[in-house]
Amino acid sequence: MDYLAGLNPEQKAAVLQIKGPVMIIAGAGSGKTRVITYRVAHLIRSRVDSFNILVLTFTNKAAREMRERINHICGPEAKNIWMGTFHSVFAKLLRVEADKIGYPSNFTIYDTDDSKSVLRAILKEMNLDDKLYAVNFVLNRISAAKNNLISWQAYQKDEQIQSEDHANRRDLLGKVYETYAQRCYRAGAMDFDDLLFKTNELLRDHPDVTNKYQHKFKYIMVDEYQDTNRSQYMIVKRLAAVNENICVVGDDAQSIYAFRGANIQNILNFEKDYPDLKVFKLEQNYRSTQNIVNVANSIISNNKEQLKKNVFSEKEAGDRIKIMRAFSDNEEGKMVADTIMQDRSTNGMKWHDFAILYRTNAQSRSMEEALRKLNIPYKIYGGLSFYQRKEIKDLIAYFRLTFNPNDEEALKRVINYPKRGIGDTTVDRIIVAADKNNITPFEVVLQPNYYIEKAPASLSAFAAMIQSFQVLAKNQSAYEAALYIAQHSGLLKDLYVDKSIEGVNRYENIQELLNGIKEFSEREDIEEKGLDVFMQDIALLTNDDKDKNKDADTVSLMTIHSSKGLEFPQVFVVGLEENLFPSQMSLNSRSDLEEERRLFYVAVTRAERKLSISYATSRFKFGTLINCEPSRFLDEIDAKYLELDFSAKPQQSSSFFDDERNAWSRKDTNTKTDAYKPKPATTPPPVKTTSILAKAHVVSNDFKISDTSNLQVGMQVEHERFGFGKVINLEGNKPDVKATIFFKEIGQKQLLLKFAKLSIINGIE
């Protein structure tokens, strides 16, 4: 029991409570991972069979770290735990049970690029407008449906959804969803959302399978429960229904993923599902100084919808939080870069001790320019990963085709790479023949002369090559099979002969991939070492696993969403301006605004020792310099924790700048200043939902239908349903003038003015 000695009383109580439903509310930096780890170790020490423990996380990195710690305490038993991300664990389960829902056990897992490729082909075949049916929009729509457990059949029958699509002139979205689902099924492929959607389908339609895993997983733990969506919630609820030994860990104050389906109500209402719930609150922050913790508390206290807790720190008070004002976004970048250079020199810090966090990716430009001018090394976190590079995806496509010849996307990617005389016309004929005969494209390739007139001989040679790879892969290690495929596909030779800088880099990247496969082949902690197992591992990588240079000594630049789970000695949170942070899109409802505030809370709590927050009084937006006002969130911070740095002077005079500067010139920072006071706020009305997939626009309190007889291109308007927009075209004669308006929330629409009911909110920009 020595592993319990280092826990504080609340952590220890949570670890020892192993029976029944448990919720652990873990504040930022409160030792959450340690508690989960020791709780699993304690289960094993309490003679719970490790095969009966299920631990679900949101990153492979978290699962790896926990398993290593458990192994240190419990030894080899740690290998038997079903532990990993939702997607990796249930992909493993589906490999065993896939035949029950009509899939092969060697199904391919499509990444986002694969899914987009399938959708592009479908949209082209259906001759749909690529503006109305933009690939990203369609994919997000299908993803949202799956995360809410809406099948394509249910999508087409749902009156609200169909009405919504019709209003947006996207009546064929349901048909696109149907075709996409059927195309994936034919290819023996699942996308990431399918891994959970199909698991729900399996558990719903096969009681014998549900019963099997309910009795197998007698103890269930879920990390980051505040980030779960409906699909994940239903899987966990079903599996825990028999034993109810379920423990969820999370922090509602860090729920920031509603845009990708996360539902904060899962954690807020957990007690309704389990009335006998025992709740433990981890409130001591071991990461940050007292001042940083106090600032975070003052921010999040403004949210109405939350689980109350009192986070505290016993570390030193530390520096006050610096508020920096810049005249422009470029000047903001310069201030941040200068501070990094000075603090690194003064305090003997490393470059990787610093992080710059922003609300949107576009904000990185001014930061990058300033860092480059001072020769400060930096890395954009979440950029192009190693496994997204073209040459890597090409070789992996050969691997995929080897294990699943029905994989249409892999086939199209490599059938003529390296070039073997199979042009786009031939590929199109293959796809048409497959559709016509209701078979897979590879089946056409196996008998090209039967299905295609004047088929090139290289098709048969290609099919024979893939079949030889299949035979070899069954009997060789992952590395031997991978090297053989790289060589005999011609890919390795094609890259080797290209002596350009890019060609050499691509060849080296392939060698790096092969080195990684060799390392995998020699691992002692896994039993199955085939290339197919390696393929599943990389298909399920999360962003934290894909970064090959994460230990480099560079300043980290990233969006706040990407920073969750990370920590840095010194953090800069930039761009604290109204309509940027909080974003303009979040000002329509209290729930959206509260999520923005939680995002700010996450940003602040990434800092260990020093925190700086900056904003600019002007910023370029769509090529136009606009005046900015400080974020309302800044006014929510108690001024006694702040240090004001207004050394940057505006280069022009204006009443706004003067008023702001005068307000902040007060010497007594122990009194709360009104410098950041936003415009008077009113409580927004409840949000009305048009369907489970989308929210309706919440109209402004001063909304009033305007006379549109003199409406002009460039004017800003508001519509009761479609929200805020800009007039981009007018056509026709009175009284039948039609206005084309680009609405920020739903895109472009054409309205007949005499029926449109618009409120003109200002003149031409």
Side-chain angles (χ1 to χ4, degrees):
M1 302 287 281
D2 56 335
Y3 57 91
L4 300 176
L7 301 175
N8 66 37
E10 195 70 7
Q11 289 175 330
K12 185 175 181 180
V15 167
L16 294 177
Q17 182 63 49
I18 60 176
K19 288 287 186 181
V22 172
M23 179 164 67
I24 302 173
I25 303 171
S30 61
K32 166 177 69 75
T33 302
R34 171 183 285 195
V35 170
I36 298 173
T37 301
Y38 288 179
R39 193 173 186 275
V40 174
H42 188 65
L43 283 169
I44 296 173
R45 287 287 187 91
S46 302
R47 305 203 175 183
V48 171
D49 191 334
S50 55
F51 283 99
N52 297 143
I53 300 173
L54 171 64
V55 182
L56 298 168
T57 68
F58 273 82
T59 68
N60 290 312
K61 178 184 175 185
R64 252 192 332 267
E65 289 176 355
M66 283 191 269
R67 195 184 294 275
E68 287 170 3
R69 294 190 198 182
I70 297 167
N71 183 68
H72 183 70
I73 299 170
C74 302
E77 286 293 315
K79 294 181 181 179
N80 305 330
I81 303 166
W82 278 58
M83 176 184 288
T85 65
F86 274 88
H87 293 90
S88 64
V89 166
F90 295 113
K92 179 180 176 182
L93 185 151
L94 286 170
R95 295 284 179 201
V96 178
E97 311 290 351
D99 63 300
K100 295 180 176 62
I101 53 173
Y103 276 82
S105 62
N106 63 341
F107 60 84
T108 296
I109 300 172
Y110 277 173
D111 65 13
T112 302
D113 287 344
D114 296 320
S115 296
K116 287 181 180 179
S117 179
V118 176
L119 283 171
R120 283 192 194 96
I122 293 169
L123 297 173
K124 184 178 179 181
E125 291 166 15
M126 295 176 68
N127 197 29
L128 296 176
D129 185 340
D130 60 2
K131 292 180 181 177
L132 272 177
Y133 293 87
V135 169
N136 285 339
F137 174 85
V138 175
L139 182 58
N140 289 338
R141 187 74 169 172
I142 292 173
S143 176
K146 289 181 181 179
N147 286 332
N148 284 289
L149 301 182
I150 300 172
S151 65
W152 65 261
Q153 295 95 331
Y155 188 103
Q156 294 179 2
K157 292 177 182 176
D158 190 297
E159 292 182 3
Q160 283 186 316
I161 293 175
Q162 292 305 303
S163 174
E164 190 176 303
D165 285 349
H166 178 71
N168 294 325
R169 294 189 297 141
R170 297 189 179 102
D171 297 86
L172 292 175
L173 266 175
K175 185 62 179 177
V176 174
Y177 182 8
E178 175 184 356
T179 309
Y180 173 75
Q182 292 173 343
R183 198 69 57 88
C184 289
Y185 181 77
R186 185 180 75 180
M190 296 187 196
D191 63 21
F192 255 51
D193 296 315
D194 279 329
L195 294 175
L196 304 183
F197 183 79
K198 295 297 181 184
T199 299
N200 269 293
E201 182 182 304
L202 177 71
L203 297 176
R204 181 197 66 200
D205 298 342
H206 298 274
D208 56 326
V209 176
T210 305
N211 183 64
K212 171 184 173 181
Y213 288 101
Q214 284 174 337
H215 287 85
K216 177 176 179 59
F217 301 135
K218 295 178 180 177
Y219 293 84
I220 300 173
M221 289 194 70
V222 186
D223 190 15
E224 305 285 9
Y225 190 68
Q226 78 281 348
D227 292 335
T228 53
N229 58 32
R230 174 166 174 76
S231 184
Q232 292 160 330
Y233 164 80
M234 288 303 300
I235 291 172
V236 171
K237 188 175 181 182
R238 279 195 176 103
L239 291 177
V242 171
N243 296 292
E244 290 199 348
N245 292 324
I246 178 171
C247 173
V248 300
V249 186
D251 181 8
D252 59 295
Q254 297 185 66
S255 178
I256 60 173
Y257 293 118
F259 69 93
R260 68 183 189 197
N263 185 356
I264 192 174
Q265 298 303 323
N266 290 349
I267 192 167
L268 294 179
N269 297 326
F270 190 67
E271 191 168 3
K272 292 182 180 179
D273 288 334
Y274 303 96
D276 298 331
L277 181 70
K278 289 184 170 58
V279 179
F280 300 91
K281 295 182 179 181
L282 309 184
E283 297 174 309
Q284 183 171 354
N285 182 308
Y286 292 93
R287 174 190 301 154
S288 306
T289 63
Q290 291 180 39
N291 275 333
I292 293 171
V293 170
N294 290 337
V295 165
N297 286 342
S298 66
I299 293 164
I300 204 64
S301 65
N302 290 275
N303 272 9
K304 293 184 179 299
E305 199 168 37
Q306 61 173 300
L307 299 169
K308 292 292 184 181
K309 53 186 173 296
N310 180 33
V311 180
F312 66 94
S313 172
E314 293 185 350
K315 301 182 85 171
E316 71 281 0
D319 294 341
R320 290 184 180 186
I321 282 64
K322 183 185 286 188
I323 303 293
M324 301 191 299
R325 182 194 61 192
F327 171 65
S328 66
D329 47 355
N330 286 335
E331 188 175 55
E332 182 185 36
K334 183 178 184 301
M335 293 177 72
V336 170
D338 287 345
T339 304
I340 290 174
M341 183 67 82
Q342 181 179 338
D343 287 0
R344 180 177 181 271
S345 175
T346 304
N347 303 322
M349 301 171 73
K350 301 286 188 183
W351 295 123
H352 63 241
D353 291 333
F354 300 92
I356 302 173
L357 310 182
Y358 35 77
R359 179 64 181 85
T360 66
N361 279 307
Q363 292 170 257
S364 73
R365 180 199 57 80
S366 56
M367 297 296 141
E368 290 186 73
E369 288 181 4
L371 294 173
R372 279 201 298 267
K373 286 177 182 177
L374 295 180
N375 292 318
I376 296 175
Y378 68 89
K379 182 181 185 304
I380 303 283
Y381 188 93
L384 183 67
S385 79
F386 178 78
Y387 291 100
Q388 291 300 313
R389 299 180 189 278
K390 178 187 180 301
E391 61 275 13
I392 301 300
K393 290 181 74 72
D394 287 339
L395 183 52
I396 287 174
Y398 272 109
F399 297 164
R400 281 168 42 178
L401 202 57
T402 297
F403 292 100
N404 178 14
N406 294 336
D407 187 339
E408 184 174 321
E409 290 308 302
L411 177 76
K412 289 192 293 187
R413 187 176 188 99
V414 300
I415 193 168
N416 197 40
Y417 178 71
K419 290 190 180 299
R420 48 177 64 92
I422 305 173
D424 291 343
T425 302
T426 301
V427 174
D428 289 342
R429 290 162 66 196
I430 291 171
I431 302 301
V432 169
D435 289 339
K436 182 179 178 181
N437 293 280
N438 196 27
I439 57 177
T440 68
F442 191 74
E443 289 176 287
V444 176
V445 174
L446 285 173
Q447 295 179 280
N449 294 320
Y450 180 78
Y451 292 105
I452 302 175
E453 251 185 77
K454 298 179 181 178
S458 50
L459 278 180
S460 296
F462 176 77
M465 178 181 70
I466 297 301
Q467 288 177 313
S468 71
F469 294 166
Q470 292 172 327
V471 173
L472 184 92
K474 289 180 182 178
N475 305 308
Q476 301 292 334
S477 71
Y479 175 71
E480 291 168 330
L483 181 60
Y484 183 90
I485 293 171
Q487 291 172 334
H488 289 79
S489 65
L491 185 147
L492 207 56
K493 180 181 178 182
D494 188 71
L495 294 176
Y496 181 75
V497 298
D498 183 356
K499 297 303 182 184
S500 66
I501 295 175
E502 294 80 6
V504 171
N505 286 337
R506 287 194 288 266
Y507 182 78
E508 289 176 348
N509 286 336
I510 291 294
Q511 292 297 338
E512 177 63 23
L513 175 62
L514 293 172
N515 291 340
I517 298 174
K518 186 169 181 61
E519 182 182 341
F520 169 84
S521 298
E522 295 173 353
R523 281 174 55 181
E524 296 181 358
D525 60 328
I526 54 174
E527 294 180 10
E528 297 182 25
K529 300 178 183 179
L531 185 56
D532 56 336
V533 180
F534 176 82
M535 288 294 301
Q536 177 170 314
D537 282 357
I538 62 170
L540 294 165
L541 291 179
T542 50
N543 286 336
D544 64 298
D545 306 296
K546 294 178 179 178
D547 185 0
K548 289 287 185 180
N549 300 304
K550 54 190 170 187
D551 296 325
D553 188 20
T554 56
V555 175
S556 296
L557 276 67
M558 66 189 80
T559 63
I560 302 168
H561 283 100
S562 297
S563 74
K564 190 166 178 294
L566 304 176
E567 55 190 48
F568 302 90
Q570 189 162 343
V571 169
F572 297 84
V573 186
V574 301
L576 261 292
E577 299 141 32
E578 282 292 294
N579 297 324
L580 179 57
F581 197 13
S583 72
Q584 190 170 15
M585 296 292 288
S586 72
L587 303 181
N588 290 329
S589 71
R590 181 176 298 281
S591 62
D592 289 342
L593 182 60
E594 292 200 349
E595 172 138 339
E596 286 286 291
R597 189 176 286 113
R598 293 195 294 270
L599 191 60
F600 187 32
Y601 176 87
V602 167
V604 166
T605 54
R606 297 313 93 198
E608 297 173 353
R609 299 199 300 267
K610 199 167 182 178
L611 172 66
S612 299
I613 301 172
S614 64
Y615 70 96
T617 57
S618 65
R619 185 179 296 272
F620 274 98
K621 188 174 183 182
F622 304 122
T624 303
L625 187 66
I626 61 170
N627 288 345
C628 307
E629 63 175 294
S631 168
R632 68 187 69 193
F633 294 156
L634 294 172
D635 193 50
E636 296 173 355
I637 304 175
D638 195 322
K640 67 185 177 183
Y641 302 123
L642 303 179
E643 171 192 336
L644 312 179
D645 179 1
F646 284 0
S647 56
K649 302 296 183 186
Q651 298 171 13
Q652 63 184 35
S653 176
S654 82
S655 60
F656 172 74
F657 296 142
D658 291 341
D659 290 344
E660 183 190 37
R661 184 166 60 255
N662 291 336
W664 276 97
S665 64
R666 303 175 184 178
K667 294 181 180 179
D668 182 12
T669 55
N670 288 318
T671 304
K672 186 148 185 170
T673 173
D674 61 357
Y676 288 131
K677 184 171 289 184
K679 296 174 182 175
T682 55
T683 303
V687 177
K688 190 189 295 181
T689 305
T690 56
S691 81
I692 197 168
L693 302 181
K695 293 180 179 177
H697 169 67
V698 180
V699 297
S700 304
N701 289 325
D702 57 353
F703 179 87
K704 185 178 180 181
I705 297 174
S706 303
D707 176 9
T708 57
S709 59
N710 294 315
L711 190 71
Q712 297 179 49
V713 172
M715 282 185 169
Q716 304 288 311
V717 298
E718 181 180 6
H719 186 276
E720 286 182 296
R721 181 173 180 185
F722 305 136
F724 297 101
K726 180 178 180 180
V727 180
I728 60 175
N729 188 43
L730 293 168
E731 61 183 69
N733 300 315
K734 295 180 181 179
D736 298 318
V737 177
K738 293 181 180 178
T740 303
I741 303 172
F742 183 83
F743 291 100
K744 294 173 182 176
E745 296 180 22
I746 65 166
Q748 186 172 306
K749 292 193 73 67
Q750 190 176 67
L751 304 175
L752 194 61
L753 282 186
K754 62 184 179 183
F755 300 125
K757 296 182 180 180
L758 298 173
S759 173
I760 300 174
I761 55 179
N762 62 28
I764 300 172
E765 282 191 335

